[in-house]
Amino acid sequence: MLHVLVYFREVVVIEERDEMILKYLKLSFSIDGTKKRIRRLKEEYYSKNLYTRNEPDYGSGRIIVRAYRVETEIVKYVDVLMDLEKSIATKSKKLRYFNCYLEELPLNEREYLYNRFLRQFDVIVQEQVEQAAYEEILEIEDAISYMNGEIPDKLSQVEDSTELKFDELLEVLDL
Amino acid sequence: MNEQAISEINEMIPRLRSQEQTHVREVYYLNNWYRYKKNLKIMGSSELKNARMLFRALKELTQENREFLAMKYDRPKRPTDAYLAEELGMSKDRYVEKRRMIQRELKSIMISQKLKESNGASKWRKK
């Protein structure tokens, strides 16, 4: 009982940088998760009953016949399916580029990232390694959003907007 | 209503509309300069529109004039005219005169840009 209380009282604050690095290190798990979701969605959809059914219509006070609405149900199903498949494609692209980056790193730095974020060991924090990984991640995000035909959100990358110079401000606002 | 009154009202409508469009208080936008920068991430659409309007007009000014205005307005707390005049080494009246001149220029730019935008929008709607 005590453990649970201590667990709940502990407030864990995760910084944006740490969150992003953790997200990228766990990408393969999240791809598996979406694949599982697709499987479950398909199962759910194909186990539906396509028969007509009787329902009371409280307005007129009669019993009416309702049928499975093919058009709306199919549109919903296909939309969700396409979204999930697209997200898998983007995630696997991100994973590929991030793995390329990890392969370039020296062994001790790669080991450090795994120990700190995935295994949650108590290690001495190396700011430089984390910052370099974060910058690489931001670059990947930019590249992926260009690939999908979107303009990357420059505002979210700005840390302190009061320190911006005028030209940078215009660039951020697309003027 | 007689015809004369109707024709007078018809003449009044475009005039009032143009007055509405050309009414810009540039000081309002300038006073919010620092706040626009600070709250860039959390601003709503209308405030963002105002911020874009200000920065688009400031872009047209020369760099020297823009920095002159930034000395007063791009700060968390605006210093007084007397203090700034002393810092620049000119008299207070001269400083205020110069600042107002630049602000008038900024105002005319803002009005022209606003008119251009509204004309473009109305043309777009007609199509």
Side-chain angles (χ1 to χ4, degrees):
Chain A
M1 200 62 205
L2 194 72
H3 288 292
V4 176
L5 278 175
V6 169
Y7 174 69
F8 277 117
R9 277 185 190 173
E10 194 180 13
V11 180
V12 183
V13 181
I14 304 176
E15 282 179 27
E16 199 185 332
R17 191 177 70 184
D18 297 1
E19 205 183 329
M20 285 294 268
I21 295 171
L22 190 61
K23 199 175 136 193
Y24 265 74
L25 286 168
K26 282 184 174 176
L27 261 179
S28 59
F29 297 109
S30 97
I31 289 173
D32 288 349
T34 28
K35 276 179 185 168
K36 205 185 237 176
R37 236 182 109 190
I38 287 179
R39 223 180 300 137
R40 210 181 299 143
L41 188 79
K42 280 182 179 172
E43 240 168 55
E44 213 171 79
Y45 180 76
Y46 285 109
S47 63
K48 269 181 186 170
N49 192 353
L50 305 187
Y51 287 152
T52 50
R53 61 184 186 275
N54 292 333
E55 265 182 16
D57 183 16
Y58 294 109
S60 60
R62 288 185 208 157
I63 283 178
I64 55 165
V65 180
R66 279 266 165 80
Y68 176 80
R69 295 185 180 250
V70 182
E71 288 116 4
T72 52
E73 295 290 326
I74 281 182
V75 166
K76 271 187 213 164
Y77 169 67
V78 171
D79 266 0
V80 176
L81 204 64
M82 274 170 69
D83 273 1
L84 290 175
E85 275 168 3
K86 200 181 170 188
S87 84
I88 282 182
T90 52
K91 273 175 190 171
S92 50
K93 261 182 210 167
K94 282 178 188 175
L95 184 65
R96 204 180 77 209
Y97 293 127
F98 192 62
N99 279 343
C100 286
Y101 170 70
L102 285 180
E103 276 169 22
E104 280 174 11
L105 284 179
L107 184 68
N108 59 343
E109 290 186 1
R110 199 188 321 151
E111 203 60 5
Y112 163 76
L113 285 177
Y114 283 133
N115 282 341
R116 174 151 158 69
F117 292 103
L118 285 182
R119 294 169 195 149
Q120 306 253 323
F121 289 168
D122 285 337
V123 285
I124 298 164
V125 176
Q126 298 178 24
E127 275 283 323
Q128 285 183 347
V129 180
E130 285 180 24
Q131 189 59 34
Y134 183 56
E135 275 165 16
E136 184 67 27
I137 285 169
L138 288 182
E139 235 168 72
I140 292 172
E141 292 267 304
D142 260 18
I144 296 285
S145 56
Y146 273 121
M147 277 178 202
N148 293 337
E150 300 157 0
I151 300 157
D153 194 12
K154 286 171 194 165
L155 254 182
S156 62
Q157 291 175 22
V158 177
E159 281 183 6
D160 189 4
S161 53
T162 51
E163 285 177 4
L164 286 176
K165 283 174 188 168
F166 193 74
D167 299 336
E168 294 166 347
L169 200 70
L170 292 180
E171 209 173 273
V172 168
L173 286 170
D174 281 332
L175 285 174
Chain B
M1 276 166 85
N2 56 359
E3 285 179 13
Q4 203 182 350
I6 291 170
S7 64
E8 268 178 24
I9 288 169
N10 281 335
E11 279 170 16
M12 230 162 76
I13 288 168
R15 204 176 68 233
L16 284 176
R17 197 172 285 160
S18 69
Q19 271 180 15
E20 215 172 80
Q21 281 173 351
T22 54
H23 181 258
V24 174
R25 272 188 75 230
E26 80 291 347
V27 185
Y28 171 75
Y29 299 96
L30 283 170
N31 283 341
N32 283 324
W33 187 342
Y34 183 78
R35 264 163 263 162
Y36 286 147
K37 266 171 79 175
K38 192 181 169 189
N39 305 328
L40 206 60
K41 285 184 185 178
I42 51 172
M43 275 195 303
S45 60
S46 64
E47 281 162 333
L48 205 64
K49 197 180 156 194
N50 287 349
R52 287 172 74 89
M53 196 175 153
L54 174 69
F55 293 127
R56 211 196 301 138
L58 282 171
K59 203 172 94 177
E60 305 276 311
L61 289 178
T62 59
Q63 197 184 349
E64 196 190 338
N65 286 350
R66 199 192 306 134
E67 276 165 11
F68 190 85
L69 285 182
M71 273 181 77
K72 184 165 175 73
Y73 293 108
D74 190 11
R75 285 189 174 184
K77 198 173 183 189
R78 289 190 297 283
T80 57
D81 285 341
Y83 175 80
L84 282 170
E86 205 181 301
E87 213 170 67
L88 289 169
M90 49 167 91
S91 69
K92 194 192 160 188
D93 292 349
R94 177 83 191 86
Y95 173 79
V96 172
E97 198 185 317
K98 193 180 174 187
R99 182 166 61 75
R100 288 211 179 127
M101 210 174 70
I102 298 168
Q103 279 177 209
R104 240 172 279 139
E105 195 189 330
L106 185 74
K107 185 176 181 173
S108 66
I109 292 168
M110 280 173 116
I111 288 168
S112 65
Q113 282 179 350
K114 202 178 173 186
L115 278 174
K116 204 185 279 176
E117 203 174 53
S118 66
N119 288 337
S122 64
K123 268 180 197 171
W124 191 247
R125 254 178 239 135
K126 271 174 197 170
K127 279 175 187 177

